[in-house]
Amino acid sequence: MLKQAKFWLPVVYAAVILFNLSGADDYNIVLFLTSPPLWLHEASVTVRSYVRIPLAGYYLITLLFWLIAGWGIDGIANKLRKRINTRNE
């Protein structure tokens, strides 16, 4: 479990959330740099004008994003490991 991306990516992002909640990230720069869903939301003027998401919503959406990304990375890594192991046999 400790060698899997689906564990570490959400844990690192939880540390970013705690850093943001501590008040050390006044302008939410670290939060913005580690949140691809926030990039998409801020990039679209139309979406930004019609959709208001509270800060807790950003936390949850991005945490789910990193969990899903970790599952994807682990799935790809497992397929590559299986492919390498079958070639070596």
Side-chain angles (χ1 to χ4, degrees):
M1 179 74 175
L2 292 178
K3 292 184 179 182
Q4 296 181 346
K6 67 182 170 188
F7 173 76
W8 284 109
L9 290 176
V11 167
V12 170
Y13 190 70
V16 169
I17 291 172
L18 292 175
F19 180 72
N20 189 279
L21 288 174
S22 73
D25 190 16
D26 290 338
Y27 297 105
N28 299 328
I29 293 172
V30 176
L31 179 68
F32 182 78
L33 291 175
T34 58
S35 177
L38 186 56
W39 301 344
L40 295 174
H41 181 260
E42 290 297 318
S44 175
V45 176
T46 306
V47 171
R48 212 174 345 136
S49 64
Y50 290 112
V51 178
R52 301 281 183 216
I53 300 174
L55 192 57
Y58 287 131
Y59 292 157
L60 182 63
I61 291 168
T62 307
L63 192 61
L64 290 173
F65 170 82
W66 285 118
L67 182 64
I68 292 168
W71 276 336
I73 291 169
D74 288 340
I76 291 169
N78 287 337
K79 285 182 182 181
L80 290 175
R81 274 191 220 113
K82 286 180 185 177
R83 187 175 294 169
I84 290 170
N85 288 338
T86 56
R87 286 184 185 171
N88 291 337
E89 291 177 354

